[in-house]
Amino acid sequence: MFGTNSPPSDDARQGGKMNRARRNLRLRGRKWQFYREIPADLRETLGKRFIIVTLGTSDFAKAQQARDKLLQSTTDLFRTTRKKLKDGSKADLRALEEEALRMREAIENDPDDDSVLELVASDRAEQIEKQYGLEQARAWYLVATGRQTPITEALIERFMTETNVVASTAAARRIAIQRFRDFLQPAPNIERVDRRLAGQYASHLVTTLKLLPRTHNAHISHLSSFWRWLIKRGLAQENPWAGQQLSVKGKRGSVEQKGSPWTLKEVRVLIQRAPDALLRDCIKIAALSGLRVSELFELRVRDVRDGLFHVNEGKTQASIRAVPIHSELKEIIERRTTGKKPDDYLIEEIRRDTRGALRRSAVFVKRFGRYRDRVFPEYRQNGHRQAAKVFHDLRAHFIDERLKRGIPIEVVRDCVGHEQEGVTMRHYATRSSLEQLRECVEAVSLKPVNTQTAEKAAQTSGEHTGSTQASL
């Protein structure tokens, strides 16, 4: 493979239009050649304008096959080259950032020589300008002289350490802050961020990254939390993210749709038609326990004991709770705990990765969505912001069915891990008893109606026979 700076001839053109069959091919003597123009942003790095390969064949069909392979390999080359340039650029920026912070520390620790050190910083900034441009040089100088504070990895880590949130929220916060930090490059400094720039980034999330309103608002919320912490630590003056969130309410005539609880009949259909144990078990456990999908995928064997699901982590204190295991889940629990170690997951089919339980559950939710589309195509997304019914709506099903059967709302809240409302309930009322929680869980059966009728009839017959024998 070799390069050239000369454009290809018109041999591969016919009538002013590129013949698709001969795309990226040209005939040189009796042999075919492959050629492809290198993107402008990579020419300096690769040192040429065109990639040209002599294919060593006069057979057009063989030349086409070789062309297709070379198109893929050159595409991969462009991709990896861009990645290396990007990674190298990030490494350079980190090195400059660390250098600026060292200069800043030297100036702060030696105030007698601060004027001399500022001259040194000025000279260094001129060198940076020649290599990286004026904007990067100005950003470096402002940090080095203490006029601005960068959002460093160390600062992000300090924020994470000082704020007590669950692992999934911490991971989401880190992603949001790092994404915004990349947006600010080459000058990711706190002092730059005013309401106008925050507004630009909020628009960027929608127009460029195409985030949905709820995802957009989650990003803004994480950045707002970070800025509130910066204010407390004296590193920022105001929170520019206040009021930057989007409305998630659908407008009249829009395609927005709101989720609703699965009906009892629909849940039975979902269980009956499930193609494998993973889907069937997860649907049944969620519908009969009210667990969040992240809670379900975080459960380990040691957390399932004494007839209870022990939820040990959550977004609020109310999330940490013990949920009675429904009698209809006995077979599933025995099958999924027998022969396992205490640290093994109850739902083990989807492996844990670097993002933890949040990621595992997200993979499953997508799988459930594909299954739902086959069984209930009327609930597909179909241009809406989200599907009409999702896996989380099994939790809504649990709540809805218990309230219909007269279970007190305070007991239902305790069962699903919701905060109680009102000062009296939050501060003075005790949590529901285990008997109340068990009554709440057992209030609904997922067995088919004919099965329940037969069981009740058998139970009634047994009671009648027992009373007759007793009278005799």
Side-chain angles (χ1 to χ4, degrees):
M1 187 179 291
F2 59 94
T4 178
N5 288 318
S6 301
S9 69
D10 293 333
D11 291 350
R13 298 180 182 274
Q14 295 181 356
K17 295 183 179 180
M18 181 69 73
N19 184 314
R20 290 189 178 184
R22 297 179 64 177
R23 179 169 58 98
N24 297 98
L25 291 174
R26 66 182 182 183
L27 200 57
R28 280 292 178 265
R30 302 182 65 179
K31 302 293 183 182
W32 286 100
Q33 279 187 350
F34 167 85
Y35 71 90
R36 186 175 186 181
E37 188 172 10
I38 295 173
D41 62 318
L42 300 178
R43 289 173 191 169
E44 183 178 353
T45 303
L46 296 177
K48 50 198 172 188
R49 185 178 174 187
F50 291 93
I51 292 176
I52 298 177
V53 181
T54 299
L55 301 179
T57 181
S58 57
D59 188 300
F60 183 55
K62 291 182 179 178
Q64 285 180 308
Q65 294 176 358
R67 182 266 316 274
D68 293 341
K69 292 180 180 178
L70 285 167
L71 281 173
Q72 182 59 53
S73 64
T74 52
T75 298
D76 293 341
L77 172 66
F78 299 156
R79 185 185 300 112
T80 55
T81 303
R82 282 197 176 96
K83 185 178 186 302
K84 288 179 180 177
L85 287 173
K86 184 178 180 181
D87 292 344
S89 176
K90 285 185 176 180
D92 289 346
L93 290 174
R94 284 195 295 269
L96 287 172
E97 186 178 84
E98 291 171 0
E99 181 187 355
L101 290 172
R102 288 196 298 270
M103 176 66 73
R104 177 177 182 162
E105 185 178 2
I107 293 174
E108 291 175 348
N109 292 339
D110 196 354
D112 294 335
D113 292 334
D114 58 352
S115 58
V116 175
L117 290 172
E118 285 201 21
L119 288 174
V120 174
S122 179
D123 290 341
R124 176 61 179 136
E126 290 180 4
Q127 296 173 1
I128 293 172
E129 180 182 356
K130 293 176 183 178
Q131 187 174 358
Y132 297 100
L134 178 61
E135 187 177 2
Q136 180 63 64
R138 182 183 292 113
W140 185 92
Y141 182 78
L142 290 173
V143 172
T145 56
R147 291 171 172 82
Q148 289 194 358
T149 302
I151 303 173
T152 62
E153 289 294 335
L155 187 65
I156 297 173
E157 191 61 39
R158 182 181 164 195
F159 165 65
M160 293 297 171
T161 302
E162 293 185 14
T163 52
N164 185 24
V165 294
V166 297
S168 58
T169 301
R173 282 184 174 181
R174 187 184 297 277
I175 291 171
I177 297 169
Q178 289 174 336
R179 176 176 283 177
F180 178 60
R181 184 174 182 268
D182 291 341
F183 175 81
L184 292 176
Q185 293 292 2
N189 301 331
I190 297 169
E191 290 78 4
R192 284 186 59 203
V193 186
D194 54 15
R195 287 195 63 79
R196 182 177 180 180
L197 194 147
Q200 290 174 354
Y201 183 69
S203 298
H204 168 76
L205 292 176
V206 177
T207 58
T208 304
L209 300 184
K210 308 296 183 183
L211 298 188
L212 295 173
R214 292 186 187 277
T215 309
H216 169 280
N217 289 349
H219 270 68
I220 298 298
S221 177
H222 295 319
L223 290 171
S224 184
S225 297
F226 181 48
W227 242 258
R228 288 196 299 270
W229 178 82
L230 291 174
I231 292 171
K232 289 181 180 179
R233 296 294 174 264
L235 298 173
Q237 300 299 317
E238 61 178 359
N239 185 356
W241 303 103
Q244 299 287 3
Q245 292 183 321
L246 299 175
S247 172
V248 296
K249 295 181 180 179
K251 297 180 180 178
R252 183 179 298 177
S254 72
V255 295
E256 298 293 327
Q257 60 183 3
K258 184 180 180 181
S260 57
W262 292 96
T263 67
L264 195 56
K265 182 178 179 180
E266 289 171 340
V267 173
R268 287 169 177 156
V269 170
L270 286 171
I271 294 172
Q272 181 182 4
R273 298 187 185 179
D276 53 52
L278 173 63
L279 278 166
R280 183 167 53 253
D281 292 355
C282 289
I283 293 169
K284 199 168 183 179
I285 293 172
L288 290 175
S289 68
L291 291 175
R292 298 176 176 90
V293 64
S294 57
E295 294 171 344
L296 172 57
F297 275 80
E298 186 67 10
L299 283 176
R300 298 178 185 269
V301 172
R302 65 170 181 264
D303 300 323
V304 184
R305 62 184 187 277
D306 305 324
L308 302 167
F309 291 122
H310 293 269
V311 181
N312 301 313
E313 191 176 87
K315 292 185 176 181
T316 65
Q317 190 63 32
S319 299
I320 302 172
R321 64 198 189 281
V323 181
I325 299 174
H326 197 289
S327 56
E328 292 177 15
L329 296 177
K330 182 178 179 180
E331 183 274 330
I332 294 175
I333 300 306
E334 287 182 355
R335 170 164 44 84
R336 288 190 169 273
T337 56
T338 301
K340 287 187 178 181
K341 298 177 182 178
D343 286 341
D344 289 344
Y345 283 112
L346 181 68
I347 308 296
E348 80 285 354
E349 287 89 333
I350 299 177
R351 292 188 177 183
R352 187 181 185 91
D353 63 14
T354 55
R355 293 186 63 182
L358 176 66
R359 181 58 185 161
R360 293 176 68 244
S361 62
V363 173
F364 172 77
V365 166
K366 289 183 178 180
R367 182 173 180 177
F368 174 83
R370 294 191 292 270
Y371 169 59
R372 174 209 57 218
D373 291 348
R374 295 197 303 270
V375 179
F376 292 102
E378 64 271 27
Y379 296 148
R380 290 174 185 264
Q381 191 168 346
N382 291 333
H384 298 264
R385 181 183 60 78
Q386 67 176 27
K389 293 189 179 183
V390 296
F391 188 82
H392 184 75
D393 292 318
L394 289 169
R395 180 171 160 85
H397 159 84
F398 179 92
I399 296 171
D400 186 57
E401 291 295 328
R402 271 71 187 171
L403 295 177
K404 285 179 181 177
R405 284 159 176 75
I407 302 296
I409 190 171
E410 294 79 14
V411 178
V412 177
R413 285 191 184 125
D414 282 342
C415 204
V416 298
H418 282 165
E419 294 280 4
Q420 295 290 353
E421 294 183 0
V423 175
T424 303
M425 293 303 300
R426 285 200 306 268
H427 298 285
Y428 299 104
T430 58
R431 279 196 171 188
S432 303
S433 67
L434 185 58
E435 290 74 16
Q436 290 175 308
L437 295 175
R438 195 173 300 282
E439 181 185 359
C440 175
V441 168
E442 296 284 349
V444 178
S445 172
L446 292 181
K447 291 181 179 179
V449 177
N450 55 351
T451 303
Q452 293 181 55
T453 303
E455 288 180 353
K456 288 182 179 179
Q459 184 179 1
T460 304
S461 175
E463 291 175 353
H464 178 71
T465 302
S467 60
T468 302
Q469 290 175 348
S471 63
L472 292 174

